[in-house]
Amino acid sequence: MENTDFIITSQQSWDTEIGSTIKNTAVEIARNNRVLYINTPLDHATWLRGEKNRIYRQRIDVIKKRVPNIRKIKDNFWVADCPFMVYSINKLPTSGLFDFFNKLNNKKIGRYILSVLHQLGFKNVVHLIDTDIYRSQYLKEIIRPAVSVYYCRDFVIGVDYWRKNGSRLEPLLAAKSDIVLANSTYFAERFKKYNPNTYPIETGVDLELYDASVKKECPGDMQSLPRPIIGYVGFVTGMRLDSDLLYDIARERPQYSFVFVGPEDELFAQHRLHTLKNVYFLGAKEVRELPDYIQHFNVCINPQLINDITIGNYPLKIDEYLAMGKPVVATSTHTMRDIFSEQVHLASGKAEYVPAIDRALTETDDAEKKEQRIRFAHSHSWTNSVNKIYRIIEAFQSGENKK
């Protein structure tokens, strides 16, 4: 697909410092098409709290007209910041009140989007909604895209913020969309009952960043750590990771160093893992630094909890681990069994995790297995992922998969 205009509305700000599926997807689409990424607007509650991070300051600067509201990021790619605030609605007591003010927010956002589309000369747009259940609920009726695509890449309605109204509104948004994309077969099955034009797509990995052929120096804060190193990269959160399992594994193997690279939530920050001498929390790092850490892990892990959020989620970090050629041990979720079972040691509970890590360590220097992992990860490039999206959209436009 080439020379098509795409608009993306996402719950994630473009200025979020971590990488993500939607940001990488947007960049890949912009290689051959024009892309307009709408940043989430500031709401009144966030403004009152005054969270002085970079995203907040950017929004305030736009509202106060200190900086332009449209930024050209690169060729074919623009980010538009909303020069206004919207109502804070999630704590409203009734669904009627929520829907009333949500429609007002959508109208405000929709009118702004139309003005930017006109300014940039975008026409016959493909609207990609990245799990933005509230702010994009009524945009199809307002901006009237040529194709509307709802992209579910996480089970957000399992999170408190989205549970009350999201559980009600996500099926409605999926049903009215022309196409639904899900990043796992597990999620796709859930959405097919709302929209028959639902398709699973696998996400991708940044192969330029995660390039195992580029030899990287061991990061300074890891150089003195005893080996072998069993490592994890990503948000260290009790919503997704099994903290007690990690504690049991680390105690069972005191001769291994367990290293976590990424910000911790409150549960982990106060967890008894911090009392173990062979466990190291190295904190948040820049995205470009992460391959340096992974390259110097002996084994990579993804010890997820099994819950509604994780069971069908596609863990992007697995592709990143494999792209660096690393042996991986991960919790046996639906997606891991469906896609990664031949490349990753799958485990559940301490009784399986400890011997799986032991086995993975014996493969650290296996050149043939390393090459197999890298080759598999390369089949999950962002180019391949976005090409699947193109084929689905083109089939819809040709009438092959109309509702």
Side-chain angles (χ1 to χ4, degrees), residues 12 16-24 153 287 290 316 320:
Q12 181 174 34
T16 301
E17 294 178 355
I18 62 171
S20 73
T21 294
I22 193 58
K23 291 175 69 172
N24 284 297
R153 58 183 177 86
V287 172
L290 299 182
L316 177 59
E320 294 167 350

Side-chain angles (χ1 to χ4, degrees), residues 98-382:
F98 180 94
D99 289 347
F100 176 80
F101 285 101
N102 192 37
K103 285 180 181 178
L104 292 181
N105 284 345
N106 271 239
K107 287 178 180 178
K108 196 170 189 177
I109 296 167
R111 287 194 294 267
Y112 172 66
I113 289 173
L114 288 173
S115 71
V116 177
L117 292 177
H118 177 74
Q119 184 175 339
L120 296 178
F122 275 44
K123 296 180 179 179
N124 300 317
V125 297
V126 174
H127 182 198
L128 183 59
I129 301 169
D130 172 49
T131 323
D132 187 35
I133 301 170
Y134 299 163
R135 290 176 293 260
S136 297
Q137 182 68 217
Y138 306 103
L139 291 186
K140 181 178 182 181
E141 295 87 344
I142 299 168
I143 66 175
R144 299 185 180 278
V147 183
S148 61
V149 183
Y150 179 62
Y151 185 11
C152 174
R153 58 183 177 86
D154 214 342
F155 188 73
V156 295
I157 61 174
V159 179
D160 287 345
Y161 177 85
W162 298 96
R163 187 175 288 114
K164 178 182 176 182
N165 292 293
S167 299
R168 175 175 59 89
L169 294 177
E170 188 177 44
L172 298 178
L173 181 57
K176 74 167 71 172
S177 298
D178 297 314
I179 296 166
V180 174
L181 305 177
N183 71 354
S184 72
T185 55
Y186 185 90
F187 287 155
E189 285 303 313
R190 180 167 70 90
F191 281 101
K192 280 183 179 178
K193 60 186 176 184
Y194 309 127
N195 190 324
N197 287 339
T198 296
Y199 304 90
I201 60 167
E202 296 167 7
T203 54
V205 59
D206 186 342
L207 297 174
E208 293 181 5
L209 182 63
Y210 292 90
D211 184 350
S213 68
V214 178
K215 301 306 177 185
K216 303 172 185 298
E217 184 178 349
C218 183
D221 55 357
M222 207 168 72
Q223 289 180 1
S224 62
L225 301 186
R227 291 186 174 274
I229 291 177
I230 315 302
Y232 170 88
V233 166
F235 184 26
V236 187
T237 170
M239 188 179 296
R240 295 177 182 271
L241 300 184
D242 193 332
S243 56
D244 292 333
L245 170 64
L246 284 165
Y247 181 81
D248 291 340
I249 295 170
R251 286 192 66 191
E252 189 78 11
R253 288 291 183 268
Q255 69 273 34
Y256 299 168
S257 293
F258 291 82
V259 174
F260 299 87
V261 178
E264 298 174 74
D265 69 2
E266 186 176 351
L267 183 148
F268 268 90
Q270 299 178 3
H271 198 273
R272 54 184 175 161
L273 276 162
H274 285 270
T275 67
L276 299 180
K277 294 182 179 180
N278 64 325
V279 176
Y280 305 87
F281 291 89
L282 303 187
K285 309 296 177 184
E286 297 288 338
V287 172
R288 59 181 172 77
E289 298 178 275
L290 299 182
D292 303 22
Y293 286 88
I294 294 172
Q295 189 168 81
H296 291 277
F297 291 161
N298 296 100
V299 170
C300 297
I301 57 173
N302 194 34
Q304 292 186 295
L305 286 169
I306 299 292
N307 56 34
D308 288 341
I309 296 173
T310 62
I311 187 64
N313 186 53
Y314 189 105
L316 177 59
K317 68 176 82 284
I318 301 298
D319 276 325
E320 294 167 350
Y321 292 161
L322 294 175
M324 297 302 292
K326 293 298 173 177
V328 179
V329 180
T331 299
S332 181
T333 64
H334 182 280
T335 302
M336 293 304 302
R337 295 189 297 271
D338 188 36
I339 297 174
F340 295 100
S341 60
E342 294 184 8
Q343 306 298 329
V344 173
H345 296 275
L346 301 182
S348 298
K350 185 183 78 169
E352 294 182 7
Y353 250 95
V354 172
I357 292 173
D358 293 341
R359 288 194 302 274
L361 279 169
T362 67
E363 301 173 356
T364 301
D365 298 319
D366 189 321
E368 183 178 350
K369 285 185 178 293
K370 178 178 180 179
E371 183 56 36
Q372 287 175 354
R373 297 182 200 112
I374 294 172
R375 190 163 54 246
F376 178 83
H378 279 232
S379 72
H380 291 170
S381 69
W382 286 113

